Amino acid sequence: MYPDKHKEIVTSLMEGKFITIEDLSFETIKKNEDFYITFFEKSFGFELIGNQDFYYLVSNETNENTSRDISIFFSVLCYELDKDGKNFLEELNYSEFHIDEIIEYFNNSSWTDVIKANNQLKNDESLKRHIGTMVKRNIAVKQGNDRYSFTKAHKLFIDFAKDLIKDDHQ
């Protein structure tokens, strides 16, 4: 007998989605964490990673360019929000962003070389597709009228971006 929502949980995680604290299935994973850690390890060779905000899977076999691209996206967005005098952590946790606002930050960014070198961020259309990928992975949520907010999963990429910046400046 599997826990409630087992199929939904496995399907979501296997599709690369984050299950965040806002999701009903988050509690199911939390209550059955040992089971799911063992299940994903034995069934697929994947590692289930979780904290108080979200769960996701990691595999040693994948070349995870999407995670890198999402980290770069958040690095640039946070830098631009900070430059704009905004507290980027508060903005990511509590605000909605219109797609045009995000595009404007990227088009006017001083990180032009990094943006142009990244196929997911290099122009308006690719940036829109990239945000669509983040919605599919439950990192961003489309609120309607081309407005987006970010789930708690953004924290993983912010931490990764901070580590990148630290490594880059040592």
Side-chain angles (χ1 to χ4, degrees):
M1 185 75 175
Y2 291 114
D4 284 350
K5 302 184 182 296
H6 178 70
K7 187 175 180 185
E8 179 186 320
I9 289 167
V10 172
T11 301
S12 291
L13 288 168
M14 292 298 289
E15 288 175 349
K17 289 183 180 173
F18 285 75
I19 295 182
T20 64
I21 194 166
E22 296 92 356
D23 299 313
L24 296 174
S25 48
F26 179 88
E27 245 348 274
T28 302
I29 299 173
K30 191 176 177 107
K31 283 184 200 150
N32 300 283
E33 193 172 64
D34 291 341
F35 164 78
Y36 279 109
I37 287 170
T38 304
F39 174 82
F40 282 108
E41 176 61 43
K42 286 193 172 17
S43 302
F44 306 103
F46 294 162
E47 184 182 359
L48 178 69
I49 310 267
N51 61 32
Q52 72 275 9
D53 293 318
F54 52 84
Y55 285 95
Y56 64 101
L57 290 179
V58 174
S59 165
N60 293 332
E61 297 160 23
T62 58
N63 176 10
E64 192 48 283
N65 289 333
T66 303
S67 293
R68 181 206 63 202
D69 295 340
I70 293 169
S71 295
I72 293 169
F73 169 87
F74 280 118
S75 297
V76 172
L77 183 60
C78 290
Y79 178 82
E80 295 304 325
L81 288 168
D82 187 57
K83 199 170 82 180
D84 214 13
K86 297 178 179 175
N87 178 325
F88 64 84
L89 290 177
E90 280 185 21
E91 293 289 320
L92 292 178
N93 281 320
Y94 306 112
S95 296
E96 290 182 7
F97 295 86
H98 191 278
I99 187 69
D100 293 340
E101 182 183 4
I102 295 170
I103 288 170
E104 189 174 328
Y105 276 127
F106 277 75
N107 287 340
N108 296 322
S109 178
S110 56
W111 292 79
T112 314
D113 295 348
V114 173
I115 294 167
K116 295 295 178 212
N118 186 299
N119 287 336
Q120 303 305 312
L121 308 174
K122 67 182 179 184
N123 59 43
D124 296 1
E125 284 311 308
S126 57
L127 194 54
K128 285 178 185 176
R129 277 193 305 278
H130 185 64
I131 292 169
T133 298
M134 291 195 299
V135 169
K136 281 188 204 126
R137 296 227 174 165
N138 199 26
I139 299 162
V141 177
K142 186 166 183 170
Q143 301 294 352
N145 294 334
D146 286 333
R147 298 188 72 75
Y148 296 86
S149 61
F150 297 102
T151 68
K152 299 282 186 210
H154 81 272
K155 292 178 177 182
L156 174 71
F157 300 97
I158 297 299
D159 291 344
F160 185 69
K162 283 181 195 168
D163 290 344
L164 276 178
I165 291 165
K166 269 190 238 156
D167 290 347
D168 209 33
H169 286 80
Q170 284 183 349

